[in-house]
Amino acid sequence: MDESYDIFRFEGNDIKPEKGRVLIAEPFLEGRYFNRSVILLTEFSDDGAVGFVLNKPVHLNVNEVLTDLEAFKSEVFVGGPVQNTQIYYLHTVPELIPNSFQVFDNLYWGGDFEIVKELISLKKIDIDQIRFFAGYSGWSTGQLEEEIKENSWLVSSLDLTDLMSVDNDDIWKKALSRLGGNYKLWANFPKDQSMN
């Protein structure tokens, strides 16, 4: 086999998916939601998986989507194709937002939305402490594991700063580059394969 061809083979790594890990789309994965996406897994069990796409902005602030919110310049991201008319959120202030679910370390999912609205109104929460998503990504039992076997996804980790950054256009490239080797080369593949 021609060795130059090997750099174009996308082979998964040995990291197992779990809550708090990220999925990095292989360079040629098609689709509006998942092309060059990075997804944070907020749930992973024998029953399936749930996560949020971190790098697909809607180009609207949350108060433009939820009109009963005070002005708050936190951009909404497309979390995935499931229930995409619903707003979900990740945050780092569980002491302020009751009924939150821990994802890992100091990152939490959901909680009392009336409290979130009050915190925004009183300016007691900053945009770097909360991220909003329209919809989520979901997999049924065994579905994600099968997609990983088919090399649609690499499993990796990102730190809290990267996960909470809304200025993350390059998070897909950054996540692949950190893995080194051929992954670093794939990070620089053009979106349009006809371009050199």
Side-chain angles (χ1 to χ4, degrees):
M1 180 187 291
D2 180 2
E3 246 178 80
S4 63
Y5 175 76
D6 285 348
I7 69 163
F8 294 101
R9 286 184 39 175
F10 184 88
E11 299 218 358
N13 53 12
D14 293 329
I15 302 171
K16 300 294 180 207
E18 64 182 49
K19 185 165 73 166
R21 294 254 166 94
V22 293
L23 303 174
I24 305 168
E26 62 98 344
F28 310 112
L29 187 64
E30 297 291 326
R32 174 178 159 205
Y33 292 104
F34 301 128
N35 177 260
R36 295 191 177 220
S37 64
V38 176
I39 300 176
L40 172 68
L41 290 175
T42 55
E43 286 293 327
F44 183 80
S45 71
D46 291 340
D47 297 326
V50 172
F52 296 97
V53 180
L54 299 172
N55 58 333
K56 303 284 179 181
V58 174
H59 302 294
L60 292 171
N61 289 335
V62 68
N63 59 289
E64 295 174 283
V65 176
L66 300 174
T67 55
D68 60 337
L69 274 183
E70 297 283 328
F72 192 62
K73 293 190 181 290
S74 182
E75 190 167 16
V76 176
F77 285 74
V78 175
V82 183
Q83 292 187 0
N84 57 12
T85 59
Q86 300 289 319
I87 294 292
Y88 299 88
Y89 45 96
L90 297 170
H91 62 86
T92 59
V93 286
E95 68 281 2
L96 298 179
I97 305 172
N99 304 317
S100 304
F101 300 97
Q102 186 176 28
V103 178
F104 77 100
D105 293 341
N106 194 40
L107 184 66
Y108 289 76
W109 170 26
D112 189 325
F113 190 63
E114 292 304 313
I115 299 289
V116 171
K117 290 198 298 190
E118 186 179 323
L119 292 168
I120 289 171
S121 174
L122 296 171
K123 298 182 179 12
K124 291 192 173 183
I125 192 167
D126 295 322
I127 60 170
D128 62 348
Q129 294 175 308
I130 191 164
R131 288 195 61 185
F132 294 93
F133 301 89
Y136 66 89
S137 302
W139 293 265
S140 59
T141 303
Q143 184 183 4
L144 178 56
E145 293 90 330
E146 194 56 39
E147 290 180 13
I148 291 169
K149 265 190 228 168
E150 293 168 355
N151 294 324
S152 294
W153 304 103
L154 280 171
V155 181
S156 189
S157 300
L158 288 173
D159 62 36
L160 193 59
T161 304
D162 287 330
L163 293 172
M164 291 303 290
S165 172
V166 293
D167 183 21
N168 59 9
D169 288 340
D170 66 346
I171 195 170
W172 181 83
K173 281 184 169 189
K174 186 187 288 187
L176 271 177
S177 294
R178 282 185 185 166
L179 294 172
N182 283 353
Y183 303 124
K184 196 169 186 174
L185 294 173
W186 292 331
N188 294 309
F189 279 1
K191 283 185 181 181
D192 181 349
Q193 300 308 309
S194 65
M195 296 177 66
N196 290 342

